Amino acid sequence: MIQGPRGVSPAKTPAIAALPRRRFLQTVAASAAAVALPRQAWATSAVTPFKISLAEWSLHTAIRAGDLDNLDFPRVAREEFDIEAVEYVSVFFKDKARDATYLTDLDTRCRDHGVQSLLIMVDGEGDLGDPSDDARGKAVENHLRWLEAAKRLGCHSIRVNAKSQGSYAEQLALAADGLGRLGQLAQTFGLNVLVENHGGLSSNGAWLAGVMRRVGMANVGTLPDFGNFRLNGWDEPKEVWYDRYQGVTELMPFAKAVSAKSHEFNDQGLEVRTDYERMMKIVLNAGYRGYVGIEWEGEKPGEYEGVRLTKRLLERIRDELA
């Protein structure tokens, strides 16, 4: 459960004290039920296993080509795909994190199209597991503006990376330190800090789960990605992969968001690299009932059709599991 602002005691809230006994008990019961669920699960229906969101990276080619602007992302999510929730990428509005006018405009566009902002995927702000204490502190400081932006947009989290250097144990300790510092800062905003398996040791499910246990904070969790389990560098010719099903299984106990990465589909509408039905059973068996974010990263077909194919597959599985 995300902690609220320090010094605020729910037991001393005057509005609760003034309620009639019957309504008071109903309020307590409702509050207890909400506390028992992750924030992102509150909006999901009791009869719907999960809802579908759209990660902005799915349209990165169009954005980088200038064919789509970050401000139009919520409209496109709704009008092109009928998707009600979005996940931003910081690099697409990296100079606007503290631009109140810009963020208000973006939030207004979300509201106009009935779209919910879920999280911001933050990259390029320094290594939270840097061996240098000063550099780790600077990386935490660099993420502050994205916490501010996420709060303004009504997100529940920012997604960060756990990049580090050194041995297995050294990197675990360093990443846990940086994430713990950032998690404490995020608590003051009522936000989560989520780590994605994103290359290197972060793509080792056991290692990242160990980082989560080392941090031990309710608002520091994971964002399991179905596809990012390559352990070595992306420019290295020999690929070394961690088992994606094992990795997602290991990360789901700490998950507050999920990324349904897709690359290629066959004639039956199935994703070629990932058994989506198997993966979604892992996700749901872990008790997760939040949004599952489409993240198309393939080359053929184009981005818009790739998103549609991924959504269609997730809807088919959702209907079968409902």
Side-chain angles (χ1 to χ4, degrees), residues 23-42:
R23 187 178 171 193
F24 170 75
L25 293 174
Q26 292 173 337
T27 301
V28 170
S31 298
V35 168
L37 294 171
R39 176 175 175 179
Q40 76 278 7
W42 296 352

Side-chain angles (χ1 to χ4, degrees), residues 58-164:
S58 300
L59 305 175
H60 69 274
T61 300
I63 294 173
R64 286 175 168 170
D67 298 328
L68 174 64
D69 186 79
N70 182 67
L71 287 171
D72 288 325
F73 176 49
R75 175 187 61 79
V76 169
R78 175 60 82 180
E79 293 183 354
E80 292 287 340
F81 311 114
D82 193 25
I83 290 177
E84 64 180 16
V86 294
E87 303 165 12
Y88 304 101
V89 175
S90 67
V91 296
F92 296 143
F93 58 121
K94 60 182 179 181
D95 298 326
K96 304 295 185 181
R98 284 178 167 148
D99 187 330
T101 300
Y102 182 92
L103 296 177
T104 298
D105 187 5
L106 181 57
D107 186 51
T108 298
R109 295 184 189 215
C110 284
R111 295 176 186 275
D112 288 346
H113 292 91
V115 171
Q116 180 180 354
S117 297
L118 297 181
L119 58 89
I120 303 174
M121 298 184 177
V122 182
D123 297 296
E125 296 293 358
D127 297 344
L128 291 167
D130 195 290
S132 165
D133 186 73
D134 288 343
R136 286 200 309 283
K138 180 61 176 176
V140 171
E141 180 182 335
N142 290 345
H143 283 79
L144 173 60
R145 61 184 182 138
W146 294 109
L147 288 170
E148 295 169 348
K151 185 68 173 181
R152 186 179 290 271
L153 291 171
C155 298
H156 63 70
S157 304
I158 63 170
R159 188 279 280 147
V160 303
N161 298 298
K163 187 177 180 181
S164 186

Side-chain angles (χ1 to χ4, degrees), residues 30-287:
S31 298
V35 168
L37 294 171
R39 176 175 175 179
Q40 76 278 7
W42 296 352
T44 59
S45 168
V47 297
T48 303
F50 60 91
K51 288 190 176 183
I52 299 171
S53 56
L54 179 62
E56 191 171 20
W57 188 253
S58 300
L59 305 175
H60 69 274
T61 300
I63 294 173
R64 286 175 168 170
D67 298 328
L68 174 64
D69 186 79
N70 182 67
L71 287 171
D72 288 325
F73 176 49
R75 175 187 61 79
V76 169
R78 175 60 82 180
E79 293 183 354
E80 292 287 340
F81 311 114
D82 193 25
I83 290 177
E84 64 180 16
V86 294
E87 303 165 12
Y88 304 101
V89 175
S90 67
V91 296
F92 296 143
F93 58 121
K94 60 182 179 181
D95 298 326
K96 304 295 185 181
R98 284 178 167 148
D99 187 330
T101 300
Y102 182 92
L103 296 177
T104 298
D105 187 5
L106 181 57
D107 186 51
T108 298
R109 295 184 189 215
C110 284
R111 295 176 186 275
D112 288 346
H113 292 91
V115 171
Q116 180 180 354
S117 297
L118 297 181
L119 58 89
I120 303 174
M121 298 184 177
V122 182
D123 297 296
E125 296 293 358
D127 297 344
L128 291 167
D130 195 290
S132 165
D133 186 73
D134 288 343
R136 286 200 309 283
K138 180 61 176 176
V140 171
E141 180 182 335
N142 290 345
H143 283 79
L144 173 60
R145 61 184 182 138
W146 294 109
L147 288 170
E148 295 169 348
K151 185 68 173 181
R152 186 179 290 271
L153 291 171
C155 298
H156 63 70
S157 304
I158 63 170
R159 188 279 280 147
V160 303
N161 298 298
K163 187 177 180 181
S164 186
Q165 299 176 42
S167 69
Y168 185 103
E170 288 170 341
Q171 290 192 55
L172 191 153
L174 290 168
D177 178 72
L179 289 166
R181 296 190 202 182
L182 184 58
Q184 290 178 341
L185 187 59
Q187 282 181 339
T188 66
F189 292 89
L191 294 172
N192 299 308
V193 172
L194 309 184
V195 185
E196 180 180 354
N197 47 299
H198 216 189
L201 272 177
S202 76
S203 290
N204 180 317
W207 180 86
L208 188 50
V211 172
M212 293 298 107
R213 287 189 287 268
R214 179 74 170 259
V215 174
M217 297 177 65
N219 73 318
V220 177
T222 60
L223 192 163
D225 182 295
F226 292 176
N228 284 352
F229 283 100
R230 182 167 173 171
L231 294 168
N232 57 340
W234 297 101
D235 57 345
E236 296 179 39
K238 185 178 180 180
E239 300 179 358
V240 180
W241 291 85
Y242 194 84
D243 183 272
R244 66 189 64 204
Y245 306 101
Q246 177 182 339
V248 170
T249 299
E250 290 166 333
L251 297 180
M252 281 310 302
F254 313 97
K256 298 179 186 295
V258 171
S259 179
K261 176 68 62 62
S262 55
H263 290 91
E264 182 182 358
F265 286 84
N266 61 22
D267 293 339
Q268 288 73 49
L270 301 176
E271 215 284 333
V272 172
R273 303 187 189 185
T274 302
D275 182 338
Y276 262 51
E277 182 175 356
R278 178 182 176 186
M279 197 66 89
M280 287 308 304
K281 286 181 179 178
I282 292 173
V283 169
L284 296 176
N285 286 342

